[in-house]
């Protein structure tokens, strides 16, 4: 059995698709691309697809991950192209590697988010960010199926900074861009929880809903302060295997 790990995106209007919507679209793509999927046992077999830490509905993403199991070996790059052609535009399959290490989900420990706050003056956003990062704790509330839950939104936030608005989206209205690095903890701290925290500590309330996009997710590197590519270990393992094979074939 071969395992392939894929990175996919949720862009444009497709950010409003639910995780279940994506599952249906992806399973249709598997059938269209005639991927030799492995199936689970039992009375209702289903394709062996493992999804890891899907983004909330309504948020865009450049870094969603899943793993599939195949009954026949396939070239990851060719498989990626076939699947991408079978997916709706916006739900794009952008990377594929053969799984040569264990624990993909264990390597998804932090995310980088971008929050676009239309109608918010960058100076006001900067003051709110300073107040949030200076606080030891920022309690927010979220409605769950078990009722209202109160938790600290500050502890999970590793970085929170303002950035200049993107030059490719000019506007005559004020706009603030925030970059957020948050650890994956329990309970999960989402970008909207951080926005609730900014409202609590600095009364920052965007006049329109924030446009939220996940830019990356992976292991958080404490030394560099960056979130690393979770597929890199698989690439490195494949390169090491190729190098070893080439060395074994080389004449003595």
């Amino acid at each position: 059995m071969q395992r392939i790990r894929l990175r996919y995106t949720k862009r444009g209007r497709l950010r409003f698709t639910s995780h279940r919507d994506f599952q249906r679209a992806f399973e249709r793509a598997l059938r269209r691309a005639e991927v030799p999927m492995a199936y689970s046992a039992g009375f209702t077999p289903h394709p062996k697809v493992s999804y890891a830490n899907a983004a909330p509905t309504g948020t865009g993403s450049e870094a969603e991950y899943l793993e599939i199991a195949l009954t026949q070996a396939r070239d990851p790059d060719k498989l990626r192209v076939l699947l991408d052609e079978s997916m709706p535009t916006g739900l794009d399959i952008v990377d594929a590697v053969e799984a040569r290490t264990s624990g993909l989900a264990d390597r998804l420990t932090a995310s980088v988010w971008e929050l676009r706050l239309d109608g918010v003056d960058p100076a006001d956003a900067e003051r709110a960010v300073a107040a949030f990062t200076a606080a030891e704790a920022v309690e927010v509330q979220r409605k769950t199926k078990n009722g209202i839950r109160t938790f600290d939104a500050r502890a999970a936030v590793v970085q929170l900074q303002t950035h200049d608005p993107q030059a490719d989206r000019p506007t005559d209205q004020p706009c603030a861009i925030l970059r957020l690095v948050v650890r994956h903890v329990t309970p999960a701290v989402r970008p909207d929880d951080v926005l609730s925290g900014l409202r609590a500590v600095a009364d920052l309330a965007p006049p329109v809903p924030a446009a939220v996009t996940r830019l990356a997710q992976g292991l958080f590197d404490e030394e560099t302060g960056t979130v690393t590519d979770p597929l890199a270990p698989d690439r490195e393992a494949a390169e090491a295997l190729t190098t070893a094979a080439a060395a074994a074939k080389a004449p003595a």
Side-chain angles (χ1 to χ4, degrees), residues 141-162:
Q141 292 185 330
R142 183 199 302 159
K143 185 176 181 180
T144 70
K145 60 182 180 181
N146 297 321
I148 300 297
R149 183 169 189 174
T150 301
F151 58 95
D152 179 18
R154 176 65 186 90
V157 175
V158 181
Q159 298 173 12
L160 179 58
Q161 299 173 326
T162 58

Side-chain angles (χ1 to χ4, degrees), residues 56 59 113 115 142-144 151 153 156-157 180 182-183 187-196 212:
T59 62
W113 296 93
L115 287 65
R142 183 199 302 159
K143 185 176 181 180
T144 70
F151 58 95
V157 175
L180 166 70
V182 61
R183 296 184 191 274
V189 174
R190 304 170 182 170
D192 56 337
D193 298 321
V194 175
L195 288 172
S196 296
V212 180

Side-chain angles (χ1 to χ4, degrees), residues 99-142:
R100 295 184 179 273
T101 62
S102 61
L104 173 62
D106 294 336
R107 296 201 290 268
L108 303 180
T109 62
S111 288
V112 181
W113 296 93
E114 180 178 276
L115 287 65
R116 182 182 177 91
L117 310 180
D118 287 303
V120 173
D121 187 277
D124 293 336
E126 205 163 324
R127 285 191 290 271
V129 165
F132 184 95
T133 54
E136 292 187 4
V138 179
E139 288 194 345
V140 298
Q141 292 185 330
R142 183 199 302 159

Side-chain angles (χ1 to χ4, degrees), residues 219-242:
L219 279 174
F220 180 72
D221 188 317
E222 299 284 353
E223 292 185 2
T224 64
T226 60
V227 174
T228 61
D229 178 8
L231 301 184
D234 296 299
R235 292 194 186 89
E236 292 167 1
E239 290 173 3
L241 187 62
T242 301

